[in-house]
Amino acid sequence: MRVLVVGGAGYVGSTSVETLVARDHEVTVYDNLTTGHRGAVVPGARLVTGDIRDGERLWQLLSGGRIDAVLHCAARSLVGESMADPGLYYRTNVTGGVTLLEAMQRANVTRLVYSSTAAVYGEPRRVPIAEADRTEPINPYGATKLAFEGAMRWFAASHGFRAISLRYFNVAGATELNGEDHEPETHIIPLVLRVAACEGAHVQIYGQDYPTPDGTCIRDFIHVRDLGVAHLLALQATGEADPSFEVYNLGSAAGFSVREVVEAARKVTGRAIPARAVKRRAGDPPVLVASSRRAHRELGWQPRHSSLEEMVADAWRWKEAHPGGYRATATEEGSALAEPRQIARSVSAS
Ligand SMILES: NC(=O)c1ccc[n+]([C@@H]2O[C@H](COP(=O)([O-])OP(=O)(O)OC[C@H]3O[C@@H](n4cnc5c(N)ncnc54)[C@H](O)[C@@H]3O)[C@@H](O)[C@H]2O)c1
């Protein structure tokens, strides 16, 4: 397959590119490097820098029968930032997404896999969440991801797209080459590992009186390598499908508590990792986990690396091998100097 991976220099995109390249697919990455990294694009893939809202440039890449399918991983994806600047989220995630769809339609490329999110469900009425459950996002991030899914649905109905959206919660872990390097970082595992690496004073645990076995919130995690395989299986499935729009959850159905994450990190790193319990945050449901039964059944997807220990161990190994992240080892957008990295005095996790 010849695949265009939009957002392929980011955490999820770059690791999926690795999976595709390792299986001899021909990959072009399209990314504006706002949160992604040039150094995350593996040598077997071609990087083209550009913005998802540049329809002409996308069309040039897609036209002439050079691309069979698109994997769309580009997004703004910070909940807090989306509350502060919803316009940015609508411009990138919705306008940018629709620009991509129109460029694909014009170039007659109709196979699309979308890296969506379980944030589209909002506060679930039951867990584990199934695909048909109510979608009622509680922030602009989730709302814009859902709005783009709506556009996918109608491009399938009106223009013959074969489109699959994968919804998941927290991605974790690393491959040998690529790992998580976000600034700011908001995800619990890298935040806890920053404390292990003495880049933060302590982990904050928001609430320990939830109705869960240890009183802390339970969240769903998927290893980034399992996600790469899910993306590949979904891309293959679009080759066989009739025009359609399908949604699959990717989750563990069980999840791990915040306290379990901290304990696993202590075990893996051998470091103390001080943690402080603080008040609950508004809008944090006790349990957020999704059922992947449909993905198992119809895509043949099974997570193989998503034990908590493996995710934390892989993330730690990558962090130790890349102490300054990509900035320390690679140049961004041609800049010869590495950016100074801001070290947080204390970090928080939920
Ligand atoms: N990381 C997670 O835990 C997680 C969980 C659920 C869903 N997701 C989804 O997975 C996708 C990737 O997430 P991630 O963690 O890899 O994020 P990321 O920020 O590491 O990657 C996003 C990539 O998109 C690129 N990008 C952003 N705006 C762009 C634009 N206007 N034009 C071109 N490229 C642009 C960035 O430079 C970056 O390389 C997102 O769509 C996100 O919603 C991620």
Side-chain angles (χ1 to χ4, degrees):
M1 253 183 310
R2 293 158 309 167
V3 185
L4 180 69
V5 183
V6 184
Y11 172 49
V12 163
S14 64
T15 43
S16 292
V17 168
E18 272 187 64
T19 304
L20 291 167
V21 168
R23 287 159 175 80
D24 291 329
H25 298 291
E26 198 181 303
V27 178
T28 303
V29 169
Y30 185 76
D31 198 299
N32 71 356
L33 301 177
T34 43
T35 55
H37 309 275
R38 191 181 288 278
V41 180
V42 289
R46 176 169 76 116
L47 170 65
V48 176
T49 54
D51 196 284
I52 194 175
R53 284 165 296 166
D54 187 344
E56 214 41 46
R57 199 160 157 74
L58 281 168
W59 174 75
Q60 279 165 11
L61 279 176
L62 290 159
S63 59
R66 288 184 293 254
I67 298 290
D68 301 310
V70 173
L71 172 60
H72 177 20
C73 303
R76 306 298 298 205
S77 55
L78 298 175
V79 169
E81 183 183 60
S82 79
M83 296 294 283
D85 189 357
L88 174 65
Y89 278 67
Y90 276 87
R91 278 197 306 280
T92 308
N93 299 356
V94 182
T95 308
V98 172
T99 306
L100 172 63
L101 290 176
E102 288 182 328
M104 290 175 65
Q105 180 204 341
R106 228 177 114 199
N108 207 21
V109 176
T110 54
R111 293 169 60 186
L112 173 65
V113 172
Y114 181 48
S115 224
S116 189
T117 170
V120 298
Y121 294 109
E123 288 181 19
R125 289 193 183 156
R126 61 164 185 172
V127 286
I129 304 166
E131 288 83 355
D133 288 357
R134 183 191 63 159
T135 47
E136 206 170 311
I138 54 170
N139 50 60
Y141 167 55
T144 54
K145 299 291 285 187
L146 185 62
F148 180 70
E149 285 191 0
M152 287 173 77
R153 177 186 303 279
W154 292 112
F155 272 70
S158 302
H159 299 306
F161 273 51
R162 292 160 291 166
I164 291 180
S165 181
L166 301 178
R167 296 174 177 166
Y168 46 90
F169 285 109
N170 303 283
V171 187
T175 64
E176 296 298 321
L177 298 174
N178 286 309
E180 192 159 11
D181 180 9
H182 292 129
E183 202 58 63
E185 185 54 78
T186 58
H187 297 139
I188 179 168
I189 291 177
L191 285 175
V192 170
L193 295 180
R194 283 187 181 191
V195 177
C198 301
E199 294 168 11
H202 61 269
V203 176
Q204 287 192 339
I205 297 178
Y206 292 100
Q208 51 179 358
D209 55 352
Y210 283 97
T212 59
D214 68 15
T216 64
C217 289
I218 292 178
R219 295 291 179 262
D220 212 343
F221 296 84
I222 173 176
H223 196 296
V224 74
R225 286 208 274 161
D226 287 330
L227 180 55
V229 171
H231 279 149
L232 172 61
L233 292 171
L235 282 165
Q236 287 167 339
T238 61
E240 292 151 17
D242 291 329
S244 56
F245 169 69
E246 303 292 343
V247 171
Y248 297 94
N249 286 343
L250 304 175
S252 67
F256 304 104
S257 76
V258 172
R259 207 170 278 291
E260 283 175 319
V261 170
V262 175
E263 281 307 326
R266 285 178 179 146
K267 202 166 137 200
V268 162
T269 64
R271 312 269 169 100
I273 313 187
R276 279 189 201 157
V278 296
K279 276 199 318 200
R280 290 181 181 199
R281 286 188 308 199
D284 265 349
V287 181
L288 281 178
V289 292
S291 162
S292 303
R293 286 173 65 177
R294 183 160 193 239
H296 299 327
R297 207 174 50 237
E298 294 181 17
L299 296 177
W301 178 76
Q302 285 288 353
R304 308 241 176 257
H305 303 282
S306 296
S307 74
L308 185 54
E309 286 69 26
E310 186 167 350
M311 288 186 286
V312 172
D314 286 352
W316 181 240
R317 191 170 40 245
W318 191 82
K319 184 168 177 58
E320 287 211 296
H322 304 82
Y326 294 100
R327 293 167 187 83
T329 50
T331 58
E332 302 290 322
E333 284 288 73
S335 152
L337 291 173
E339 282 173 34
R341 190 171 172 77
Q342 285 211 323
I343 306 295
R345 280 186 55 248
S346 84
V347 296
S348 57
S350 68

